[in-house]
Amino acid sequence: LPLQEALPDGRMLPEYVDGELVTELPAPPAPTSADVNAERDSRIAARFVFGGKLYDFDMKAKTNISGAAQMAFMATVAQPALATSAMWNGGSAAFSWIANDNSAVEMTAQTVIAFGRAAAGHEQAHIMAGRAIKDMSPIPADFKTDSYWPANE
């Protein structure tokens, strides 16, 4: 008999099933919509690029980016002259956002609004890519490869 090999489910090959010697690995299960959703969510949360810098995009960051973009928009509506100022937030220092490399990136109100749009676009592009993958029949076994998903540039 050949040496035994462990399967992911803990069984060992070769083995006997109904008296027959099994020596090949079973085919992996077909990917499901839930598998695509998990990959989509992972890719959405895995950071995004804006203005050449990488930014976090976990749930806390997503909430903070959305809130900052709303505040920046309100500031520009209330005082249009603030649109091109980094002092739009009413604080004593220019508004800045911390990038993934821990650098403080100064942002005007217009820049923060664009930042919020880019973040929303990052999420929307992944949602639509996931939808397109789930519409394929069958879902490709290699759906996790980058070729199916938006580039993070």
Coordinates of all heavy atoms in Angstrom, one line a residue, residues 24-122:
E24 N -7.6 8.8 -4.5 CA -7.6 10.1 -5.0 C -8.3 11.1 -4.1 O -9.3 10.6 -3.5 CB -8.2 10.2 -6.4 CG -7.4 9.5 -7.5 CD -8.0 9.6 -8.8 OE1 -8.9 10.4 -9.0 OE2 -7.6 8.8 -9.7
L25 N -7.9 12.3 -4.0 CA -8.6 13.3 -3.2 C -10.0 13.6 -3.8 O -10.1 13.6 -5.1 CB -7.8 14.6 -3.1 CG -6.5 14.5 -2.4 CD1 -5.7 15.8 -2.6 CD2 -6.7 14.3 -0.9
P26 N -11.0 13.8 -3.0 CA -12.3 14.1 -3.5 C -12.2 15.6 -4.1 O -11.4 16.4 -3.6 CB -13.2 14.0 -2.3 CG -12.3 14.2 -1.2 CD -11.0 13.6 -1.6
A27 N -13.1 15.9 -5.0 CA -13.1 17.3 -5.6 C -13.6 18.2 -4.4 O -14.4 17.9 -3.6 CB -14.1 17.3 -6.7
P28 N -13.0 19.4 -4.4 CA -13.4 20.4 -3.4 C -14.8 20.8 -3.6 O -15.3 20.7 -4.8 CB -12.4 21.5 -3.6 CG -11.9 21.4 -5.0 CD -12.0 19.9 -5.3
P29 N -15.5 21.2 -2.6 CA -16.9 21.6 -2.8 C -17.0 22.9 -3.7 O -16.0 23.7 -3.7 CB -17.4 21.9 -1.4 CG -16.2 22.2 -0.6 CD -15.1 21.3 -1.2
A30 N -18.0 23.0 -4.4 CA -18.2 24.2 -5.3 C -18.4 25.4 -4.4 O -19.0 25.4 -3.4 CB -19.4 24.0 -6.2
P31 N -17.8 26.5 -4.9 CA -17.9 27.8 -4.1 C -19.4 28.2 -4.1 O -20.2 28.0 -5.0 CB -17.1 28.8 -4.9 CG -16.4 28.1 -5.9 CD -17.0 26.7 -6.0
T32 N -19.8 28.8 -3.0 CA -21.2 29.3 -2.8 C -21.2 30.8 -2.7 O -20.2 31.5 -2.7 CB -21.7 28.8 -1.5 OG1 -21.0 29.4 -0.4 CG2 -21.6 27.3 -1.4
S33 N -22.4 31.4 -2.8 CA -22.6 32.8 -2.6 C -22.0 33.3 -1.3 O -21.4 34.4 -1.3 CB -24.1 33.2 -2.7 OG -24.5 33.1 -4.0
A34 N -22.1 32.5 -0.3 CA -21.6 32.9 1.0 C -20.0 33.0 1.0 O -19.4 33.9 1.6 CB -22.0 31.9 2.1
D35 N -19.4 32.1 0.2 CA -18.0 32.2 0.0 C -17.6 33.5 -0.7 O -16.6 34.1 -0.3 CB -17.5 31.0 -0.8 CG -17.7 29.7 -0.1 OD1 -17.6 29.6 1.1 OD2 -17.9 28.7 -0.9
V36 N -18.3 33.8 -1.7 CA -18.1 35.1 -2.5 C -18.3 36.3 -1.6 O -17.5 37.2 -1.6 CB -19.0 35.2 -3.7 CG1 -18.8 36.5 -4.4 CG2 -18.7 34.0 -4.7
N37 N -19.3 36.3 -0.8 CA -19.6 37.4 0.2 C -18.5 37.5 1.2 O -18.0 38.7 1.5 CB -20.9 37.2 0.9 CG -22.1 37.3 0.1 OD1 -22.0 37.8 -1.1 ND2 -23.3 36.9 0.6
A38 N -17.9 36.4 1.7 CA -16.8 36.5 2.6 C -15.6 37.1 2.0 O -14.9 37.9 2.6 CB -16.5 35.1 3.2
E39 N -15.3 36.7 0.7 CA -14.1 37.3 0.0 C -14.3 38.7 -0.3 O -13.4 39.6 -0.1 CB -13.9 36.5 -1.3 CG -12.7 37.0 -2.1 CD -11.4 36.7 -1.5 OE1 -11.3 36.0 -0.5 OE2 -10.4 37.3 -1.9
R40 N -15.5 39.1 -0.7 CA -15.9 40.5 -1.0 C -15.7 41.3 0.3 O -15.0 42.4 0.3 CB -17.3 40.6 -1.4 CG -17.9 42.0 -1.6 CD -19.4 42.1 -1.5 NE -19.8 41.7 -0.1 CZ -21.0 41.2 0.1 NH1 -21.9 41.0 -0.8 NH2 -21.3 40.9 1.4
D41 N -16.2 40.9 1.4 CA -16.1 41.6 2.7 C -14.7 41.8 3.1 O -14.2 42.8 3.6 CB -17.0 41.0 3.8 CG -18.4 41.1 3.5 OD1 -18.9 41.8 2.5 OD2 -19.2 40.4 4.2
S42 N -13.9 40.7 2.9 CA -12.5 40.8 3.3 C -11.7 41.8 2.4 O -10.9 42.6 2.9 CB -11.9 39.4 3.1 OG -10.5 39.4 3.3
R43 N -12.0 41.8 1.1 CA -11.4 42.8 0.2 C -11.8 44.2 0.5 O -11.0 45.1 0.4 CB -11.6 42.4 -1.2 CG -10.8 41.2 -1.7 CD -11.2 40.7 -3.1 NE -10.4 39.6 -3.5 CZ -9.3 39.7 -4.2 NH1 -8.8 40.9 -4.5 NH2 -8.6 38.7 -4.5
I44 N -13.1 44.4 0.8 CA -13.5 45.8 1.2 C -12.8 46.3 2.4 O -12.3 47.4 2.4 CB -15.0 45.8 1.4 CG1 -15.8 45.6 0.1 CG2 -15.5 47.1 2.1 CD1 -17.3 45.4 0.2
A45 N -12.6 45.5 3.4 CA -12.0 45.9 4.7 C -10.5 46.0 4.6 O -9.8 46.5 5.5 CB -12.4 44.9 5.8
A46 N -9.9 45.5 3.5 CA -8.5 45.3 3.4 C -7.7 46.6 3.0 O -6.7 46.5 2.4 CB -8.1 44.2 2.5
R47 N -8.3 47.7 3.2 CA -7.7 49.0 2.9 C -7.9 49.5 1.5 O -8.2 48.7 0.6 CB -6.2 49.0 3.2 CG -5.9 48.7 4.7 CD -4.4 48.7 4.9 NE -4.1 48.4 6.3 CZ -3.6 47.2 6.7 NH1 -3.3 46.3 5.8 NH2 -3.4 47.0 8.0
F48 N -7.7 50.8 1.3 CA -7.9 51.3 -0.1 C -6.9 52.4 -0.3 O -6.4 53.0 0.7 CB -9.3 51.7 -0.4 CG -9.7 53.0 0.2 CD1 -9.9 54.2 -0.5 CD2 -10.0 53.1 1.6 CE1 -10.2 55.4 0.0 CE2 -10.4 54.3 2.2 CZ -10.5 55.4 1.4
V49 N -6.7 52.8 -1.5 CA -5.7 53.8 -1.9 C -6.5 55.1 -2.3 O -7.4 55.1 -3.0 CB -4.8 53.4 -3.0 CG1 -3.9 54.5 -3.5 CG2 -4.0 52.1 -2.6
F50 N -6.0 56.2 -1.7 CA -6.5 57.5 -2.1 C -5.3 58.5 -2.2 O -4.5 58.6 -1.2 CB -7.6 58.0 -1.1 CG -8.1 59.4 -1.4 CD1 -9.0 59.7 -2.4 CD2 -7.6 60.5 -0.6 CE1 -9.4 60.9 -2.7 CE2 -8.0 61.8 -0.9 CZ -8.9 62.0 -1.9
G51 N -5.2 59.2 -3.3 CA -4.1 60.2 -3.4 C -2.7 59.6 -3.2 O -1.8 60.2 -2.7
G52 N -2.6 58.3 -3.7 CA -1.3 57.6 -3.6 C -1.0 57.1 -2.2 O 0.1 56.5 -2.0
K53 N -1.9 57.2 -1.2 CA -1.6 56.7 0.1 C -2.6 55.5 0.4 O -3.8 55.6 -0.1 CB -1.8 57.8 1.2 CG -0.8 58.8 1.2 CD 0.3 58.4 2.1 CE 1.3 59.6 2.4 NZ 2.3 59.1 3.2
L54 N -2.2 54.6 1.2 CA -3.1 53.5 1.6 C -3.8 53.9 3.0 O -3.1 54.4 3.9 CB -2.2 52.3 1.9 CG -2.9 50.9 2.1 CD1 -3.7 50.5 0.9 CD2 -1.8 49.8 2.4
Y55 N -5.1 53.6 3.0 CA -5.9 53.9 4.2 C -6.6 52.7 4.7 O -7.1 51.9 3.9 CB -6.9 55.0 3.9 CG -6.2 56.4 3.6 CD1 -5.9 56.7 2.3 CD2 -5.9 57.2 4.6 CE1 -5.2 57.9 2.0 CE2 -5.3 58.5 4.4 CZ -5.0 58.8 3.1 OH -4.4 60.0 2.8
D56 N -6.8 52.6 6.0 CA -7.6 51.5 6.6 C -9.0 51.7 6.2 O -9.5 52.8 6.0 CB -7.5 51.5 8.1 CG -6.1 51.1 8.6 OD1 -5.4 50.4 7.9 OD2 -5.8 51.5 9.8
F57 N -9.8 50.6 6.1 CA -11.2 50.6 5.8 C -12.0 49.5 6.5 O -12.9 48.9 6.0 CB -11.4 50.5 4.3 CG -12.7 51.1 3.8 CD1 -13.0 52.4 4.0 CD2 -13.6 50.3 3.1 CE1 -14.2 52.9 3.6 CE2 -14.8 50.8 2.7 CZ -15.1 52.2 2.9
D58 N -11.6 49.3 7.8 CA -12.4 48.4 8.6 C -13.7 49.2 9.0 O -13.9 50.3 8.6 CB -11.6 48.0 9.8 CG -11.1 49.1 10.7 OD1 -11.6 50.3 10.5 OD2 -10.2 48.8 11.5
M59 N -14.6 48.6 9.8 CA -15.8 49.2 10.1 C -15.7 50.6 10.8 O -16.4 51.5 10.5 CB -16.7 48.3 11.0 CG -17.4 47.2 10.2 SD -18.4 47.9 8.9 CE -19.8 48.6 9.8
K60 N -14.7 50.6 11.7 CA -14.5 51.9 12.4 C -14.0 53.0 11.5 O -14.5 54.1 11.5 CB -13.5 51.7 13.6 CG -13.3 53.0 14.4 CD -12.5 52.8 15.6 CE -12.4 54.1 16.3 NZ -11.8 54.1 17.6
A61 N -13.0 52.6 10.6 CA -12.5 53.6 9.6 C -13.6 54.0 8.7 O -13.8 55.2 8.3 CB -11.4 53.0 8.9
K62 N -14.4 53.1 8.2 CA -15.5 53.4 7.3 C -16.5 54.4 7.9 O -16.9 55.4 7.3 CB -16.3 52.1 7.0 CG -17.3 52.2 5.9 CD -18.1 50.9 5.7 CE -17.3 49.7 5.4 NZ -18.1 48.6 4.9
T63 N -16.8 54.2 9.2 CA -17.7 55.1 9.9 C -17.1 56.5 10.0 O -17.7 57.5 9.8 CB -18.1 54.5 11.3 OG1 -18.7 53.3 11.1 CG2 -19.0 55.5 12.0
N64 N -15.8 56.5 10.4 CA -15.1 57.8 10.5 C -15.0 58.5 9.2 O -15.1 59.8 9.2 CB -13.7 57.6 11.2 CG -13.9 57.1 12.6 OD1 -14.9 57.3 13.3 ND2 -12.8 56.5 13.1
I65 N -14.7 57.8 8.2 CA -14.5 58.5 6.8 C -15.9 59.1 6.4 O -15.9 60.2 5.9 CB -14.0 57.5 5.8 CG1 -12.5 57.1 6.1 CG2 -14.1 58.1 4.4 CD1 -12.0 56.0 5.3
S66 N -16.9 58.3 6.6 CA -18.3 58.8 6.2 C -18.6 60.0 7.0 O -19.1 61.0 6.5 CB -19.3 57.7 6.4 OG -20.6 58.1 6.1
G67 N -18.4 60.0 8.3 CA -18.7 61.1 9.2 C -17.9 62.4 8.8 O -18.4 63.5 8.7
A68 N -16.6 62.2 8.5 CA -15.8 63.3 8.1 C -16.2 63.9 6.8 O -16.3 65.2 6.7 CB -14.3 62.9 8.0
A69 N -16.6 63.1 5.9 CA -17.0 63.6 4.6 C -18.3 64.4 4.7 O -18.5 65.4 4.1 CB -17.2 62.4 3.6
Q70 N -19.2 63.9 5.6 CA -20.5 64.6 5.8 C -20.2 66.0 6.5 O -20.8 67.0 6.1 CB -21.4 63.8 6.7 CG -22.0 62.6 6.0 CD -22.8 61.7 6.9 OE1 -22.9 61.9 8.1 NE2 -23.4 60.7 6.4
M71 N -19.3 66.0 7.5 CA -18.9 67.2 8.1 C -18.3 68.2 7.2 O -18.6 69.4 7.2 CB -18.0 67.0 9.3 CG -18.7 66.3 10.5 SD -17.5 65.8 11.8 CE -16.4 67.1 11.9
A72 N -17.4 67.7 6.3 CA -16.7 68.6 5.3 C -17.8 69.2 4.3 O -17.7 70.3 4.0 CB -15.7 67.8 4.5
F73 N -18.7 68.3 3.9 CA -19.8 68.8 3.0 C -20.6 69.9 3.7 O -20.9 71.0 3.1 CB -20.7 67.7 2.5 CG -21.7 68.1 1.6 CD1 -21.4 68.4 0.3 CD2 -23.0 68.3 2.1 CE1 -22.4 68.9 -0.6 CE2 -24.0 68.7 1.2 CZ -23.7 69.0 -0.1
M74 N -21.0 69.7 4.9 CA -21.8 70.7 5.7 C -21.0 72.0 5.8 O -21.5 73.1 5.7 CB -22.2 70.1 7.0 CG -23.3 69.1 6.9 SD -23.9 68.5 8.5 CE -22.5 67.7 9.2
A75 N -19.7 71.9 6.1 CA -18.8 73.1 6.2 C -18.8 73.9 4.9 O -18.9 75.1 4.9 CB -17.4 72.7 6.6
T76 N -18.7 73.2 3.8 CA -18.7 73.9 2.5 C -20.0 74.5 2.1 O -20.1 75.6 1.5 CB -18.2 73.0 1.4 OG1 -19.1 71.9 1.2 CG2 -16.8 72.5 1.6
V77 N -21.1 73.9 2.6 CA -22.4 74.5 2.3 C -22.6 75.7 3.2 O -23.1 76.7 2.7 CB -23.5 73.4 2.6 CG1 -24.9 74.1 2.6 CG2 -23.5 72.3 1.5
A78 N -22.2 75.6 4.4 CA -22.4 76.7 5.4 C -21.5 77.9 5.1 O -21.9 79.0 5.2 CB -22.2 76.2 6.8
Q79 N -20.3 77.6 4.7 CA -19.3 78.6 4.4 C -18.4 78.2 3.2 O -17.4 77.5 3.3 CB -18.4 78.8 5.6 CG -19.1 79.4 6.8 CD -18.1 79.7 7.9 OE1 -16.9 79.7 7.7 NE2 -18.6 79.9 9.1
P80 N -18.9 78.5 1.9 CA -18.2 78.0 0.7 C -16.7 78.3 0.7 O -16.0 77.6 0.1 CB -19.0 78.7 -0.4 CG -20.4 78.9 0.2 CD -20.1 79.2 1.6
A81 N -16.3 79.4 1.3 CA -14.9 79.7 1.3 C -14.0 78.7 2.0 O -12.8 78.6 1.8 CB -14.7 81.1 2.0
L82 N -14.6 77.9 2.9 CA -13.9 76.8 3.6 C -13.5 75.6 2.7 O -12.7 74.8 3.1 CB -14.7 76.4 4.8 CG -14.8 77.4 5.9 CD1 -15.7 76.8 7.1 CD2 -13.5 77.8 6.5
A83 N -14.1 75.5 1.5 CA -14.0 74.3 0.7 C -12.5 74.0 0.4 O -12.1 72.9 0.4 CB -14.7 74.5 -0.6
T84 N -11.7 75.0 0.2 CA -10.3 74.8 -0.1 C -9.3 75.0 1.1 O -8.1 75.1 0.9 CB -9.9 75.8 -1.3 OG1 -10.1 77.1 -0.9 CG2 -10.7 75.4 -2.5
S85 N -9.9 75.1 2.2 CA -9.1 75.2 3.5 C -9.0 74.0 4.3 O -10.0 73.2 4.4 CB -9.7 76.3 4.3 OG -9.1 76.4 5.6
A86 N -7.8 73.7 4.8 CA -7.7 72.6 5.8 C -8.2 73.0 7.2 O -8.2 72.1 8.0 CB -6.3 72.1 5.8
M87 N -8.6 74.2 7.3 CA -9.1 74.7 8.6 C -10.6 74.6 8.7 O -11.2 75.2 9.5 CB -8.6 76.1 8.9 CG -7.1 76.2 9.0 SD -6.4 75.3 10.4 CE -7.0 76.2 11.8
W88 N -11.2 73.9 7.8 CA -12.7 73.8 7.7 C -13.4 73.2 8.9 O -14.5 73.4 9.1 CB -13.1 73.0 6.4 CG -12.6 71.6 6.5 CD1 -11.4 71.1 6.0 CD2 -13.3 70.5 7.1 NE1 -11.3 69.7 6.3 CE2 -12.5 69.3 6.9 CE3 -14.5 70.3 7.8 CZ2 -12.8 68.1 7.4 CZ3 -14.9 69.1 8.2 CH2 -14.0 68.0 8.1
N89 N -12.7 72.4 9.7 CA -13.3 71.7 10.8 C -13.5 72.5 12.0 O -14.1 72.0 13.0 CB -12.4 70.4 11.1 CG -11.1 70.8 11.6 OD1 -10.5 71.8 11.3 ND2 -10.5 69.9 12.4
G90 N -13.1 73.7 12.0 CA -13.4 74.6 13.2 C -12.4 74.4 14.3 O -12.5 75.0 15.4
G91 N -11.4 73.5 14.1 CA -10.4 73.3 15.2 C -9.3 74.3 15.1 O -9.3 75.2 14.3
S92 N -8.4 74.2 16.0 CA -7.2 75.1 16.1 C -6.1 74.6 15.2 O -5.1 75.4 15.0 CB -6.7 75.3 17.5 OG -6.3 74.0 18.0
A93 N -6.2 73.5 14.6 CA -5.2 72.9 13.7 C -5.8 72.5 12.4 O -7.0 72.2 12.4 CB -4.5 71.8 14.3
A94 N -5.1 72.4 11.3 CA -5.6 72.0 10.0 C -6.1 70.5 10.2 O -5.5 69.7 11.0 CB -4.5 72.0 9.0
F95 N -7.1 70.2 9.4 CA -7.6 68.8 9.5 C -6.7 67.9 8.7 O -6.2 68.2 7.7 CB -9.0 68.8 8.8 CG -9.6 67.4 8.8 CD1 -10.4 67.0 9.9 CD2 -9.4 66.5 7.8 CE1 -11.0 65.8 9.9 CE2 -10.0 65.3 7.8 CZ -10.8 64.9 8.9
S96 N -6.4 66.7 9.4 CA -5.6 65.7 8.7 C -6.2 64.3 9.0 O -6.9 64.2 10.0 CB -4.1 65.8 9.1 OG -4.0 65.6 10.5
W97 N -5.8 63.4 8.2 CA -6.2 62.0 8.3 C -5.0 61.2 8.4 O -4.0 61.4 7.7 CB -7.1 61.6 7.1 CG -7.9 60.3 7.5 CD1 -7.5 59.0 7.3 CD2 -9.2 60.3 8.0 NE1 -8.5 58.2 7.7 CE2 -9.6 59.0 8.2 CE3 -10.1 61.3 8.4 CZ2 -10.8 58.6 8.7 CZ3 -11.3 61.0 8.9 CH2 -11.7 59.6 9.0
I98 N -5.0 60.2 9.3 CA -3.8 59.3 9.4 C -3.9 58.2 8.4 O -4.8 57.4 8.4 CB -3.6 58.8 10.9 CG1 -3.5 60.0 11.8 CG2 -2.5 57.8 11.0 CD1 -3.5 59.6 13.3
A99 N -2.9 58.1 7.6 CA -2.8 57.0 6.5 C -2.2 55.8 7.2 O -1.8 55.8 8.3 CB -1.8 57.5 5.4
N100 N -2.3 54.7 6.4 CA -1.8 53.4 6.9 C -0.3 53.4 7.4 O 0.1 52.7 8.3 CB -2.1 52.3 5.9 CG -1.8 51.0 6.4 OD1 -0.7 50.4 6.1 ND2 -2.7 50.4 7.2
D101 N 0.4 54.3 6.7 CA 1.9 54.4 7.1 C 2.1 55.3 8.3 O 3.2 55.6 8.7 CB 2.7 54.8 5.9 CG 2.4 56.3 5.5 OD1 1.5 56.9 6.1 OD2 3.0 56.7 4.5
N102 N 1.0 55.7 9.0 CA 1.0 56.5 10.2 C 1.4 58.0 9.9 O 1.7 58.7 10.8 CB 1.9 55.9 11.3 CG 1.4 56.3 12.7 OD1 0.2 56.4 12.9 ND2 2.4 56.6 13.6
S103 N 1.4 58.4 8.6 CA 1.6 59.8 8.3 C 0.3 60.6 8.4 O -0.7 60.0 8.1 CB 2.3 59.9 6.9 OG 1.4 59.5 5.9
A104 N 0.4 61.8 8.9 CA -0.8 62.7 8.9 C -0.9 63.4 7.6 O 0.0 64.1 7.2 CB -0.7 63.7 10.1
V105 N -2.0 63.2 6.9 CA -2.2 63.8 5.6 C -3.2 64.9 5.7 O -4.4 64.7 6.0 CB -2.8 62.7 4.6 CG1 -3.0 63.3 3.2 CG2 -1.8 61.5 4.5
E106 N -2.7 66.1 5.5 CA -3.6 67.3 5.6 C -4.6 67.3 4.5 O -4.3 67.0 3.4 CB -2.8 68.6 5.6 CG -3.5 69.8 6.0 CD -2.6 71.0 6.1 OE1 -1.7 71.0 7.0 OE2 -2.7 71.9 5.2
M107 N -5.9 67.6 4.8 CA -6.9 67.5 3.8 C -7.8 68.8 3.9 O -8.3 69.1 5.0 CB -7.8 66.3 4.0 CG -7.1 65.0 3.7 SD -8.3 63.6 3.8 CE -7.2 62.2 3.5
T108 N -8.1 69.4 2.8 CA -9.1 70.4 2.7 C -10.5 69.8 2.8 O -10.6 68.6 2.6 CB -9.0 71.2 1.4 OG1 -9.3 70.3 0.3 CG2 -7.6 71.8 1.2
A109 N -11.5 70.6 2.9 CA -12.9 70.1 2.9 C -13.2 69.4 1.6 O -13.7 68.3 1.6 CB -13.9 71.2 3.1
Q110 N -12.7 70.0 0.5 CA -13.0 69.3 -0.8 C -12.3 68.0 -0.9 O -12.8 67.0 -1.5 CB -12.4 70.2 -2.0 CG -13.3 71.4 -2.3 CD -12.7 72.3 -3.4 OE1 -11.5 72.2 -3.6 NE2 -13.6 73.0 -4.0
T111 N -11.1 67.9 -0.3 CA -10.3 66.6 -0.4 C -11.0 65.6 0.5 O -11.1 64.4 0.1 CB -8.9 66.9 0.1 OG1 -8.2 67.9 -0.7 CG2 -8.1 65.6 0.1
V112 N -11.5 66.0 1.6 CA -12.2 65.0 2.5 C -13.5 64.5 1.8 O -13.8 63.3 1.9 CB -12.6 65.6 3.9 CG1 -13.4 64.7 4.7 CG2 -11.3 66.0 4.6
I113 N -14.2 65.4 1.1 CA -15.4 64.9 0.4 C -15.0 63.9 -0.7 O -15.6 62.9 -0.9 CB -16.1 66.1 -0.2 CG1 -16.7 67.0 0.9 CG2 -17.2 65.7 -1.2 CD1 -17.2 68.4 0.4
A114 N -13.9 64.2 -1.4 CA -13.4 63.3 -2.4 C -12.9 62.0 -1.8 O -13.1 60.9 -2.4 CB -12.3 63.9 -3.2
F115 N -12.3 62.1 -0.6 CA -11.9 60.9 0.1 C -13.1 60.0 0.5 O -13.1 58.8 0.3 CB -11.2 61.4 1.4 CG -10.6 60.3 2.3 CD1 -9.8 59.4 1.8 CD2 -10.9 60.4 3.7 CE1 -9.2 58.4 2.7 CE2 -10.3 59.5 4.5 CZ -9.4 58.5 4.1
G116 N -14.2 60.6 0.9 CA -15.4 59.9 1.2 C -16.0 59.2 0.0 O -16.4 58.1 0.0
R117 N -16.0 59.9 -1.1 CA -16.5 59.4 -2.4 C -15.6 58.2 -2.8 O -16.1 57.2 -3.3 CB -16.5 60.4 -3.5 CG -17.6 61.4 -3.4 CD -17.6 62.4 -4.6 NE -18.6 63.3 -4.4 CZ -18.5 64.6 -4.8 NH1 -17.4 65.0 -5.4 NH2 -19.6 65.4 -4.7
A118 N -14.3 58.3 -2.7 CA -13.4 57.2 -3.1 C -13.6 56.0 -2.2 O -13.6 54.9 -2.7 CB -11.9 57.7 -3.0
A119 N -13.8 56.2 -0.9 CA -14.1 55.1 0.0 C -15.4 54.4 -0.4 O -15.5 53.2 -0.5 CB -14.2 55.6 1.4
A120 N -16.4 55.2 -0.7 CA -17.7 54.6 -1.1 C -17.6 53.9 -2.4 O -18.1 52.8 -2.6 CB -18.8 55.7 -1.2
G121 N -16.8 54.4 -3.3 CA -16.5 53.8 -4.6 C -15.8 52.5 -4.5 O -16.1 51.5 -5.2
H122 N -14.8 52.4 -3.6 CA -14.1 51.2 -3.3 C -15.1 50.1 -2.8 O -15.0 49.0 -3.3 CB -13.1 51.5 -2.1 CG -12.5 50.3 -1.5 ND1 -11.5 49.6 -2.1 CD2 -12.7 49.7 -0.3 CE1 -11.2 48.6 -1.2 NE2 -11.9 48.7 -0.2

